[in-house]
Amino acid sequence: MRILIIEDDERLCESLKFQLEKQGYSVNICSNGEDGLYVLLQDACDLVLLDRMLPLMDGLTVLSKARRAGISTPVILLTALGSLDDKVNGLEGGADDYIVKPFAFQELLARIRCIGRRPRSWETSAELCLGDIVFDCDRKILSKGSLTCTLSRREGDLMEMFLRNPGQILPRMTLLSRVWGPEAEVEDGNLDNYIHFLRRRLRAVSSTLTLKTVRGIGYSLQTPQ
């Protein structure tokens, strides 16, 4: 499991990194909210440990922006704010769990393992339906009634991203990271080309779904109003 720690307390970060890596986890660290959001939007981690009080951008804002961008990565909030209202605000803001500082490492580890046991929809559902289409994720087949077409692997991976986040604006960097890989050197034009291909695939099966360009941000798969 790849864990991202977004925390400005350097000593806590180094301690958590050391202990988590001893447990076999891969750990990256960001010390402010803006950097943390940038890395989180790459969707290249499996779990985030997020401090609420951060420089440049607070933790709840980081979480809100990530969720609006379609990032579903589990997040555990780490904070000294332990009132009932603080916990409710954090969970309703999109967090999956909440742990109050100071905490015992064994408790945090148990919470991480608990989240790790949860099935993720990205990995479990082989067939996706939205509007008038059905997409077979394993065979990469898009269909509407008797009309079908087969997508390439990369087209299929992109289509799956959009179908699992309907109506959400997916940033270009998120799509590139998730489909091509976080370390891949990909020209922006490659993504534009594949978006063009997907639009042709949707037209080929006479779907009413549309892939809309959100200028300066990314793309969104929309159903008819």
Side-chain angles (χ1 to χ4, degrees):
M1 178 185 283
R2 299 162 300 171
I3 297 177
L4 171 64
I5 302 174
I6 309 176
E7 165 66 66
D8 64 331
D9 184 327
E10 184 177 346
R11 291 182 62 185
L12 177 59
C13 277
E14 292 302 324
S15 174
L16 289 177
K17 179 177 172 67
F18 175 75
Q19 294 180 84
L20 288 169
E21 287 181 341
K22 282 181 62 178
Q23 298 294 322
Y25 297 106
S26 173
V27 180
N28 287 322
I29 292 173
C30 290
S31 59
N32 67 71
E34 287 186 355
D35 289 346
L37 177 61
Y38 176 80
V39 175
L40 183 51
L41 289 177
Q42 310 314 303
D43 207 13
C45 58
D46 302 304
L47 175 69
V48 181
L49 305 181
L50 175 63
D51 185 22
R52 278 193 61 165
M53 301 175 70
L54 291 165
L56 303 183
M57 185 184 298
D58 68 89
L60 286 185
T61 301
V62 171
L63 181 56
S64 175
K65 288 178 178 290
R67 293 299 189 234
R68 287 202 303 269
I71 301 299
S72 59
T73 305
V75 173
I76 299 177
L77 283 177
L78 311 178
T79 180
L81 304 174
S83 73
L84 177 59
D85 284 346
D86 290 325
K87 293 178 181 179
V88 169
N89 290 338
L91 294 170
E92 290 187 343
D96 296 84
D97 203 350
Y98 196 112
I99 188 167
V100 178
K101 300 176 182 177
F103 51 83
F105 176 73
Q106 289 302 318
E107 180 184 357
L108 175 63
L109 188 60
R111 291 172 184 263
I112 291 172
R113 287 171 173 164
C114 180
I115 286 179
R117 289 194 295 269
R118 297 177 187 172
R120 297 189 66 181
S121 59
W122 175 266
E123 300 166 347
T124 57
S125 178
E127 189 172 272
L128 300 173
C129 303
L130 181 67
D132 53 8
I133 66 168
V134 177
F135 182 60
D136 185 319
C137 302
D138 293 334
R139 296 190 296 160
K140 310 297 183 191
I141 294 177
L142 182 70
S143 60
K144 175 189 172 185
S146 61
L147 299 174
T148 65
C149 64
T150 301
L151 279 60
S152 69
R153 181 186 64 80
R154 191 147 282 156
E155 289 172 344
D157 290 346
L158 270 175
M159 181 62 77
E160 186 171 352
M161 277 284 289
F162 285 116
L163 289 173
R164 293 192 184 278
N165 299 278
Q168 298 289 323
I169 299 172
L170 299 184
R172 298 178 64 89
M173 288 302 296
T174 297
L175 294 169
L176 289 168
S177 176
R178 191 63 180 265
V179 175
W180 275 266
E183 305 300 326
E185 296 183 3
V186 186
E187 295 182 2
D188 272 0
N190 283 1
L191 175 58
D192 299 327
N193 289 338
Y194 276 92
I195 294 296
H196 174 68
F197 298 155
L198 287 190
R199 287 170 173 155
R200 289 175 54 186
R201 300 298 192 187
L202 290 169
R203 290 196 297 269
V205 296
S206 300
S207 175
T208 58
L209 300 183
T210 55
L211 262 174
K212 293 190 175 181
T213 302
V214 183
R215 192 171 300 279
I217 302 176
Y219 299 94
S220 176
L221 183 63
Q222 301 284 331
T223 55
Q225 297 298 322

